[in-house]
């Protein structure tokens, strides 16, 4: 039996190493794990902070094509797991028939998702409350990271997470980052949407609204909400609860396990 590949896709303001604990845990459970960074992304946070140039002009189409190539290169259909913008990309690929299953954790909302005005304004202010630097990036200051991303952990842990994983995000990608998904493809593989109910970046209400877009589909679509968890739920000290839930869900929904 071939080993099921898993592709882990990170979102904006984070480095691919934010998946490091997941990569180890999923490998121990028999998956062939790939954690590809964005095209041009340096292999470490320190190197990426020194050299942001390769990702400055990334567009959403670049990211989509990058991860599509990776998913299609797998010997067997991959499980796609994404966080934030990565969760949106995972949905788009699965809806296009790429991959055998997907997990979208606190996923950025797809094009066409209608949100209440207050929610839309709140999300917009989060994304652009920090000024755009001359180099074309939107920084995530430490205090903003604490308030929006790591709001459910202690101050000390939030600081460590910031130092370990946080990066500025390309302004172009943030402003041109809309992506439509095919919610009507009944032939696609299973999809799990995950939210943290204290998430201030992609709120639980947004993830629930995304889930409702799939309400007419007969394909497997599940929603899991985690109480008292914020946007850092995949890489903070409580990551294992999320990862283990996903492993159990995959065992129930992916034929190889």
């Amino acid at each position: 039996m071939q080993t099921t590949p898993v592709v882990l896709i990170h979102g904006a303001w984070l480095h691919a190493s934010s998946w490091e604990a997941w990569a180890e845990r999923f490998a121990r459970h028999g998956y062939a794990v790939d954690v590809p960074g964005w095209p041009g992304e340096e292999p470490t946070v320190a190197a990426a902070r020194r050299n942001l140039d390769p990702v400055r002009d990334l567009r959403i189409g670049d990211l989509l094509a990058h991860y599509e190539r990776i998913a299609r290169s797998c010997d067997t259909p991959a499980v796609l797991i994404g966080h934030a913008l990565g969760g949106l990309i995972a949905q788009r690929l699965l809806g296009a028939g790429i991959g055998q299953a997907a997990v979208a954790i606190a996923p950025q909302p797809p094009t066409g998702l209608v949100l209440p005005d207050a929610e839309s304004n709140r999300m917009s202010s989060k994304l652009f409350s920090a000024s755009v630097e001359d180099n074309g990036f939107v920084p995530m200051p430490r205090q903003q990271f604490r308030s929006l991303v790591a709001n459910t952990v202690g101050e000390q842990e939030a600081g460590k997470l910031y130092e370990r994983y946080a990066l500025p995000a390309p302004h172009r990608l943030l402003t041109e980052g809309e992506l439509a998904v095919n919610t009507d493809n009944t032939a696609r593989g299973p999809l799990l949407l995950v939210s943290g109910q204290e998430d201030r970046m992609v709120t639980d209400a947004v993830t629930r609204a995304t889930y409702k877009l799939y309400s007419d589909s007969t394909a497997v679509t599940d929603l899991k909400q985690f109480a008292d968890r914020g946007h850092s739920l995949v890489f903070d000290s409580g990551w294992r609860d999320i990862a283990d839930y996903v492993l159990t869900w995959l065992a129930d929904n992916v034929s190889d396990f």
Side-chain angles (χ1 to χ4, degrees):
M1 183 178 67
Q2 290 182 305
T3 303
T4 300
V6 168
V7 178
L8 300 171
I9 309 170
H10 73 86
W13 286 295
L14 294 169
H15 187 265
S17 59
S18 59
W19 287 116
E20 59 187 350
W22 284 60
E24 180 181 353
R25 194 157 189 82
F26 274 65
R28 287 185 177 182
H29 280 76
Y31 290 94
V33 183
D34 189 9
V35 194
W38 290 356
E41 183 180 287
E42 296 284 357
T44 67
V45 170
R49 287 172 180 159
R50 290 193 300 268
N51 183 25
L52 292 169
D53 287 349
V55 302
R56 181 195 318 276
D57 295 321
L58 276 181
R59 297 174 182 269
I60 190 67
D62 300 325
L63 286 183
L64 186 62
H66 175 67
Y67 286 107
E68 180 176 345
R69 284 193 298 270
I70 291 166
R72 289 190 182 280
S73 71
C74 297
D75 292 336
T76 59
V79 171
L80 309 169
I81 302 178
H83 176 232
L85 178 57
L88 178 58
I89 291 171
Q91 288 178 79
R92 169 62 177 257
L93 293 175
L94 187 70
I98 301 167
Q100 64 173 304
V103 180
I105 303 170
Q108 182 174 313
T111 301
L113 182 66
V114 177
L115 300 173
D117 289 342
E119 191 69 43
S120 299
N121 292 336
R122 192 185 314 166
M123 294 185 70
S124 177
S125 66
K126 291 170 192 171
L127 289 175
F128 301 110
S129 58
S131 61
V132 182
E133 296 184 336
D134 291 339
N135 63 1
F137 286 85
V138 177
M140 173 72 78
R142 181 186 294 267
Q143 192 53 45
Q144 188 181 42
F145 182 90
R146 165 65 169 148
S147 174
L148 298 180
V149 177
N151 57 295
T152 60
V153 301
E155 189 75 38
Q156 184 175 18
E157 181 180 353
K160 289 180 178 179
L161 294 174
Y162 182 83
E163 291 301 324
R164 193 175 185 99
Y165 302 124
L167 291 172
H171 181 254
R172 169 173 283 180
L173 184 62
L174 297 180
T175 56
E176 300 176 4
E178 290 193 351
L179 196 63
V181 299
N182 182 355
T183 60
D184 298 322
N185 181 5
T186 59
R188 65 163 170 82
L191 170 65
L192 172 64
L193 297 167
V194 177
S195 72
Q197 292 187 302
E198 299 301 321
D199 194 330
R200 295 176 178 173
M201 282 286 286
V202 181
T203 66
D204 177 63
V206 170
T207 303
R208 285 188 283 110
T210 300
Y211 174 66
K212 289 179 182 178
L213 292 177
Y214 293 93
S215 60
D216 292 334
S217 175
T218 57
V220 173
T221 310
D222 293 325
L223 171 67
K224 174 62 178 178
Q225 299 161 278
F226 284 89
D228 304 321
R229 302 307 305 276
H231 199 65
S232 63
L233 74 173
V234 299
F235 55 86
D236 63 28
S237 56
W239 68 268
R240 190 175 285 103
D241 292 340
I242 317 301
D244 285 352
Y245 184 89
V246 171
L247 284 165
T248 299
W249 182 86
L250 289 173
D252 292 338
N253 289 279
V254 175
S255 58
D256 288 350
F257 279 80

